[in-house]
């Protein structure tokens, strides 16, 4: 009789723990969906602002990404020109940062370093627009964050004390 009581107590405890585990798993899945949705909607909005160099970006609606596969697909397409891949990579990271400023429980530091703005044969007008898109997105954040963007050719309207830290480096006045 005493063993039956212990068994019943343990069975009740198992039920409570299983319910707690299920509740936590459901909450985690819900948060994953919220974060994924926020990143996807932000990324599609940012991509639609790019110069018309990649048709999928101009009409970007369905953004799917997989960290395990290291892929981002825009409306089912996951292969882009080299410069569009650079734009996609940079704006994906900005979308991550943006999501972290909106979702308190998201585990992503509000710190981002973007380099290689001119990679992939990026044309100057596209690079400058990309810089403006990033600056405008950051201006919407209502929390503290830090974004460092390294570029060799800054957009003229961003070349001021609000955005630039330190001196300019040239061929004659190098950093190293």
């Amino acid at each position: 009789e005493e063993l039956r009581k212990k068994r019943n107590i343990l069975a009740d405890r198992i039920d409570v723990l299983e319910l707690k585990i299920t509740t936590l798993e459901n909450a985690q899945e819900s948060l994953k969906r919220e974060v994924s949705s926020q990143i996807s909607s932000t990324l599609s909005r940012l991509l639609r602002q790019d110069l018309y160099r990649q048709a999928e970006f101009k009409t970007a609606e369905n953004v799917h990404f997989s960290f395990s596969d290291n892929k981002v697909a825009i409306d089912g397409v996951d292969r882009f020109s080299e410069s569009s891949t650079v734009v996609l990579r940079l704006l994906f990271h900005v979308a991550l940062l943006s999501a972290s400023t909106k979702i308190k429980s998201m585990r992503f530091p509000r710190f981002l370093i973007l380099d290689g703005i001119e990679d992939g044969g990026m044309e100057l007008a596209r690079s400058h627009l990309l810089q403006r898109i990033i600056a405008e997105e950051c201006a919407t954040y209502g929390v503290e964050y830090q974004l460092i963007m390294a570029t060799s050719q800054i957009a003229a309207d961003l070349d001021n004390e609000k955005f630039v830290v330190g001196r300019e480096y040239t061929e004659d006045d190098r950093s190293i």
Side-chain angles (χ1 to χ4, degrees):
E1 185 63 35
E2 192 174 313
L3 288 175
R4 276 190 214 140
K5 285 180 185 179
K6 283 184 179 182
R7 182 192 66 197
N8 290 342
I9 290 170
L10 290 173
D12 289 344
R13 186 162 181 216
I14 288 171
D15 289 343
V16 167
L17 291 174
E18 285 176 344
L19 179 62
K20 188 174 187 175
I21 290 169
T22 301
T23 301
L24 290 171
E25 286 174 342
N26 290 339
Q28 183 178 24
E29 283 304 312
S30 177
L31 179 60
K32 280 183 188 178
R33 283 190 302 275
E34 179 187 5
V35 167
S36 179
S37 176
Q38 183 68 48
I39 293 168
S40 296
S41 64
T42 300
L43 181 55
S44 65
R45 177 177 48 79
L46 295 173
L47 288 171
R48 287 192 300 267
Q49 297 175 52
D50 186 29
L51 287 181
Y52 189 61
R53 301 295 184 264
Q54 189 74 47
E56 293 82 6
F57 290 6
K58 204 63 180 163
T59 59
E61 286 297 323
N62 298 310
V63 174
H64 175 75
F65 60 91
S66 168
F67 290 111
S68 59
D69 295 333
N70 195 28
K71 282 191 177 182
V72 179
I74 311 298
D75 297 330
V77 178
D78 63 0
R79 297 211 183 263
F80 307 100
S81 71
E82 194 173 353
S83 61
S84 291
T85 300
V86 170
V87 169
L88 178 61
R89 176 179 49 86
L90 295 170
L91 290 181
F92 180 80
H93 286 101
V94 172
L96 275 169
L97 177 64
S98 293
S100 76
T101 67
K102 293 172 179 67
I103 302 171
K104 252 185 166 178
S105 57
M106 190 173 162
R107 293 184 183 143
F108 184 81
R110 293 180 183 145
F111 174 75
L112 185 60
I113 298 175
L114 298 177
D115 193 11
I117 302 293
E118 290 87 11
D119 286 357
M122 178 91 60
E123 62 186 286
L124 188 59
R126 194 175 191 191
S127 170
H128 286 173
L129 178 59
L130 178 60
Q131 293 170 39
R132 284 186 206 95
I133 291 168
I134 293 169
E136 289 170 9
E137 180 67 12
C138 290
T140 67
Y141 301 163
V143 297
E144 284 190 32
Y145 71 96
Q146 184 173 14
L147 184 139
I148 298 170
M149 183 171 24
T151 180
S152 61
Q153 298 179 320
I154 190 168
D157 54 321
L158 301 177
D159 192 3
N160 57 60
E161 288 181 2
K162 180 178 179 183
F163 296 105
V164 178
V165 176
R167 65 180 179 86
E168 181 178 348
Y169 298 97
T170 64
E171 284 291 318
D172 297 329
D173 189 14
R174 297 176 183 228
S175 62
I176 298 177

